Amino acid sequence: MQLVEVTIDSLAEVGYVGTTLAEIARRAGVSPGLVAHYFGDKDALLAAAFRTLARSLAARMRARLALAHTPRARVQAVIDTNLAPEEFDRRSGTAWLAFWGQVLHVEGLKRVQTAYQRRMLSNLRSDLRQMLPAAEARSLAAMIAAMIDGVYLRAALSEWRESDSASARALLTAFVDARLKDLGPLLLPVPPAGGGSRVQRTQLRVINPATGATLAELPVDGAAQVDAAATRAQKAQRAWAALGGAERGRILQRAARLLRERNDELARLETLNTGKPISETRTVDVLSGAECLEYYAGLAAGIAGEHLNLGPAAFGYTRREPLGVVAGIGAWNYPLQIACWKSAPALACGNAMIFKPAELTPLTALKLEEVYREAGLPEGLFQVVQGEAQTGALLTRHPLIRKVSVTGSVGTGKAVMADAAASLKQVTLELGGKSPLIVFEDAKIENAVAGALLANFYSAGEVCSNGTRVFVHRSIRAEFVARLRERTAAMRIGDPLDPATQVGALISEEHMEKVLGFIARGRAQGARLLTGGTRVTSGALAQGFFVAPAIFDHCDDDMDIVRQEIFGPVLSVLEFTQEEEVIARANATEFGLAAGVFTNDLTRAHRVIARLEAGTCWINHYNVTPVELPFGGVKMSGLGRENGRAAIEHYTLLKSVYVAMGDVDAPY
Ligand code: NDP
């Protein structure tokens, strides 16, 4: 560590050329042999020093980001960390520049620099995405990164006379504020009280990610449409709530039957819009939606409060009453299923729901609207509005809407919760994950391998609960990995409409690039890619966004592929030896959506599961989600639960009633 500090001093004072092993040794007061013993050569020493600088900057960045509570504050945190007084001074600045000068020539430096840049850009992009459409967010993120580099270079060229940390930060801050102001009309609009629209009504172009072909163009709904939908819903909801539960249940039953009857047609549409193989959508997506409707149809008549005995002269009871108008906002990975998981309990409890599907996958929610209508659901009780985040925000901020349930990324969850606070709406947040799957040495290997495949490659890996961190006991790792690789390499990638296809397309080109970027980082950071991980472009697949399922071995807990949600077909194998150790490592994440354990030791299975910080767990299986079991996350993976009886609590209010049966005695 001391040698690294001395190296940074030396770079600042005598530059790259003057920083030799002999110079470091002289400054540190040790023999050149000792420096060579620890680091080998100058390049390795400089790479170690560069890594130290980048790591401490990344740690400071994480600390600042954790304290920032809005997307704009998080963007500022990136700027402030990079240009903090302790970075933006002659010593650190000159060292950074010395490294940059060598990045193109020294592979070790290049890797550190690329990893740091990618992380910074991805932080910036995801926060700007909360404020701007994707293309603008990407371009502003790149501008901010370029300006940070620019102010460093100018400061260095002026020998740190022209600018200091405060003025550099002020420059960047003014630039970002000005850009955000210029892009003002694109920002999320605050709906003016009493309606009216500041949102331009534009079109959503819906594509087939397997071919790039346009499937549909839909108008985007703005404040006027959301307002009208909320008013319609409020009117319809009163009569709906006044119906008996059994009657509401009958309509849900009919809708479930229609979904089953139309399974093939709906599965085909879902496949066209999501790129998922028809073998999945025909057996999972529509049918799990129908099951959910059937389940809540059955519960509807039994939604009840409780009776409480309060002694001879009184009793109490509670009523479970609907909330009123509620909103559902869906992600793009299970469009129809998500719409069913949200609307079925909401309607069973007597609410009206306005649902916004993800902008990329708006089609099957419209079909569900049709199905409900055909099943006899009165108009206004399930309405679909279309649009991007702006339309979602209009729902979240609408005063008539009492609750919002969103399935999406952590950033979206935070934005929704912050928006919902203004009108104190209830929220259910189904967010992202980076879940662990632990395979103990006594597990049946073939089952565990099957579990790992189910945990990673359904829907081309675009599943929130995926167990992407596969911890395998050292004693069985080799055997497990060999079998996993074999079965993964044999998966059939192809046209999603072909019933034999097992791996379809990713949702969009942008998402595919993100997934491929993670794979490149995995390799750069030293993980070993055993199979897959490349874009598939054979024949007609070249038009779509296909990535071969990837297995990384020799991963460590700090790699980006192990820490961040990829939401693509990328599995990381991690080795462990001790139960205590693996529990700690499995829990060392901000997420807490799901977890799985494979073992034949029953006691251990329950002991370990009890200690895993996750909302949804499996023992000796993975990713099965029967509607009877509540589903949801803890920590940054979300709040509230979907499915099971638990969802009833999230779509009803509890009213307490005290009933006196004697005279009233007042002290006045
Ligand atoms: P996003 O968070 O990008 O979007 C989710 C939905 O929220 C979309 O409809 C989106 O609109 C909308 N939205 C975005 N910003 C706002 C806002 N500020 N206010 C209101 N609505 C907003 O997620 P993705 O669609 O990209 O889905 C992937 C993510 O979803 C992953 O992180 C995944 O883990 C998570 N997920 C979680 C599940 C769970 O049950 N826990 C299940 C499935 C996915 P737009 O259409 O414009 O994007």
Side-chain angles (χ1 to χ4, degrees):
M1 200 58 205
Q2 191 216 347
L3 289 178
V4 164
E5 288 299 324
V6 169
T7 307
I8 294 169
D9 284 337
S10 165
L11 282 167
E13 285 160 32
V14 297
Y16 187 85
V17 176
T19 302
T20 57
L21 291 189
E23 174 66 13
I24 303 294
R26 188 188 66 72
R27 284 170 178 260
V30 297
S31 75
L34 186 74
V35 183
H37 167 75
Y38 278 121
F39 293 98
D41 59 11
K42 174 173 164 174
D43 282 351
L45 173 60
L46 289 171
F50 194 30
R51 232 185 340 265
T52 304
L53 271 186
R55 261 202 204 126
S56 72
L57 188 59
R60 279 198 287 277
M61 180 90 77
R62 274 198 297 278
R64 267 188 211 252
L65 285 171
L67 295 175
H69 298 303
T70 62
R72 177 66 186 88
R74 287 172 59 84
V75 170
Q76 195 62 37
V78 173
I79 296 171
D80 289 348
T81 315
N82 274 286
L83 303 177
E86 62 273 24
E87 301 298 334
F88 199 78
D89 65 5
R90 178 184 294 272
R91 177 181 181 265
S92 298
T94 314
W96 277 109
L97 285 171
F99 287 126
W100 286 344
Q102 298 308 311
V103 155
L104 294 180
H105 315 295
V106 182
E107 188 52 34
L109 296 184
K110 192 172 178 173
R111 246 186 271 138
V112 181
Q113 203 264 348
T114 313
Y116 178 74
Q117 275 296 322
R118 272 186 207 261
R119 196 171 302 164
M120 178 171 82
L121 273 172
S122 103
N123 278 334
L124 282 170
R125 268 193 227 118
S126 85
D127 292 316
L128 290 167
R129 185 72 183 90
Q130 306 294 317
M131 299 183 273
L132 300 171
E136 275 75 17
R138 243 194 335 270
S139 120
L140 185 50
M143 286 184 211
I144 294 172
M147 279 193 70
I148 289 175
D149 293 349
V151 290
Y152 261 104
L153 194 58
R154 290 192 62 82
L157 292 177
S158 74
E159 297 196 81
W160 304 93
R161 276 194 294 268
E162 224 175 53
S163 122
D164 59 11
S165 161
S167 64
R169 278 180 287 138
L171 182 77
L172 262 288
T173 307
F175 168 74
V176 172
D177 285 340
R179 286 301 297 153
L180 288 174
K181 197 159 161 247
D182 285 351
L183 295 166
L186 300 168
L187 295 177
L188 301 185
V190 180
S197 171
R198 275 176 48 204
V199 190
Q200 295 282 306
R201 219 180 139 82
T202 53
Q203 297 288 114
L204 290 183
R205 194 166 77 88
V206 187
I207 66 151
N208 176 347
T211 62
T214 300
L215 293 172
E217 300 229 349
L218 296 172
V220 166
D221 289 311
Q225 289 78 25
V226 168
D227 245 357
T231 310
R232 258 198 311 274
Q234 194 188 33
K235 228 163 113 198
Q237 188 266 335
R238 292 198 193 104
W240 179 244
L243 289 182
E247 207 160 331
R248 291 198 296 266
R250 264 195 297 278
I251 293 179
L252 288 177
Q253 272 295 358
R254 277 202 293 274
R257 204 164 46 242
L258 289 169
L259 284 176
R260 288 187 184 281
E261 280 167 24
R262 294 173 67 173
N263 183 34
D264 283 2
E265 166 211 339
L266 295 172
R268 186 182 152 81
L269 187 59
E270 200 73 307
T271 285
L272 287 173
N273 195 181
T274 58
K276 294 202 258 198
I278 191 89
S279 57
E280 283 185 31
T281 52
R282 236 186 231 155
T283 50
V284 177
D285 294 60
V286 189
L287 297 180
S288 70
E291 261 162 34
C292 181
L293 265 63
E294 284 153 358
Y295 177 77
Y296 288 104
L299 282 191
I303 296 170
E306 53 181 350
H307 174 276
L308 299 129
N309 192 347
L310 302 176
F315 68 94
Y317 64 94
T318 57
R319 287 167 55 84
R320 286 237 160 247
E321 298 182 350
L323 295 160
V325 183
V326 298
I329 299 179
W332 43 254
N333 61 338
Y334 279 88
L336 181 63
Q337 188 198 65
I338 291 173
C340 291
W341 281 20
K342 294 191 191 304
S343 62
L347 293 170
C349 293
N351 302 287
M353 172 164 273
I354 305 179
F355 186 79
K356 188 198 87 64
E359 69 187 278
L360 298 173
T361 53
L363 302 181
T364 44
L366 291 173
K367 291 288 175 190
L368 182 63
E369 200 178 27
E370 229 173 80
V371 161
Y372 277 133
R373 200 177 312 125
E374 226 178 299
L377 187 73
E379 208 207 308
L381 289 172
F382 180 78
Q383 300 174 70
V384 176
V385 295
Q386 300 288 3
E388 301 179 289
Q390 289 94 326
T391 309
L394 288 171
L395 292 172
T396 309
R397 297 173 192 178
H398 202 286
L400 289 183
I401 295 176
R402 299 308 315 144
K403 178 204 170 78
V404 56
S405 170
V406 64
T407 298
S409 59
V410 173
T412 298
K414 287 185 191 169
V416 164
M417 198 162 172
D419 275 346
S423 51
L424 279 187
K425 281 184 187 41
Q426 299 198 17
V427 290
T428 294
L429 305 176
E430 292 290 351
L431 310 177
K434 191 74 200 175
S435 302
L437 168 59
I438 305 173
V439 182
F440 284 101
E441 64 277 23
D442 60 351
K444 204 167 157 196
I445 297 226
E446 207 55 28
N447 280 349
V449 168
L453 294 168
L454 290 174
N456 281 276
F457 299 134
Y458 244 96
S459 293
E462 296 164 329
V463 180
C464 52
S465 49
N466 271 0
T468 46
R469 293 185 292 145
V470 181
F471 291 94
V472 186
H473 193 272
R474 175 180 293 169
S475 61
I476 55 164
R477 201 190 103 234
E479 192 186 348
F480 178 92
V481 166
R483 196 61 191 119
L484 182 66
R485 176 188 191 169
E486 196 180 331
R487 288 181 67 172
T488 304
M491 289 175 77
R492 284 191 294 272
I493 307 165
D495 174 3
L497 286 173
D498 178 346
T501 292
Q502 294 170 316
V503 184
L506 291 171
I507 192 70
S508 65
E509 185 167 16
E510 186 185 355
H511 187 58
M512 177 187 70
E513 291 302 341
K514 182 181 146 198
V515 171
L516 291 172
F518 268 110
I519 292 168
R521 260 139 77 195
R523 300 178 79 155
Q525 290 173 359
R528 196 177 301 160
L529 184 61
L530 298 184
T531 182
T534 49
R535 182 173 182 183
V536 181
T537 51
S538 47
L541 302 193
Q543 309 303 317
F545 317 124
F546 295 83
V547 172
I551 308 271
F552 273 111
D553 197 8
H554 295 280
C555 299
D556 73 49
D557 296 0
D558 292 330
M559 292 174 175
D560 289 355
I561 51 168
V562 177
R563 287 183 22 254
Q564 296 176 32
E565 185 184 41
I566 302 174
F567 221 55
V570 185
L571 180 161
S572 299
V573 176
L574 298 136
E575 186 180 284
F576 75 95
T577 52
Q578 302 297 323
E579 180 178 312
E580 204 53 40
E581 165 217 339
V582 77
I583 293 172
R585 289 170 64 195
N587 286 337
T589 166
E590 58 172 0
F591 296 110
L593 185 54
V597 171
F598 273 82
T599 174
N600 273 342
D601 177 343
L602 265 185
T603 326
R604 169 152 68 189
H606 298 297
R607 185 171 65 229
V608 172
I609 285 286
R611 292 187 54 201
L612 291 176
E613 295 165 1
T616 308
C617 298
W618 293 277
I619 294 176
N620 292 334
H621 214 313
Y622 206 95
N623 264 346
V624 272
T625 51
V627 64
E628 295 84 350
L629 264 179
F631 180 87
V634 297
K635 296 172 32 186
M636 296 301 253
S637 291
L639 289 176
R641 291 293 176 268
E642 297 198 304
N643 291 348
R645 287 179 179 274
I648 300 289
E649 285 163 34
H650 296 293
Y651 283 103
T652 50
L653 291 171
L654 200 59
K655 180 181 276 177
S656 300
V657 184
Y658 178 96
V659 184
M661 291 187 297
D663 293 332
V664 179
D665 190 16
Y668 318 108

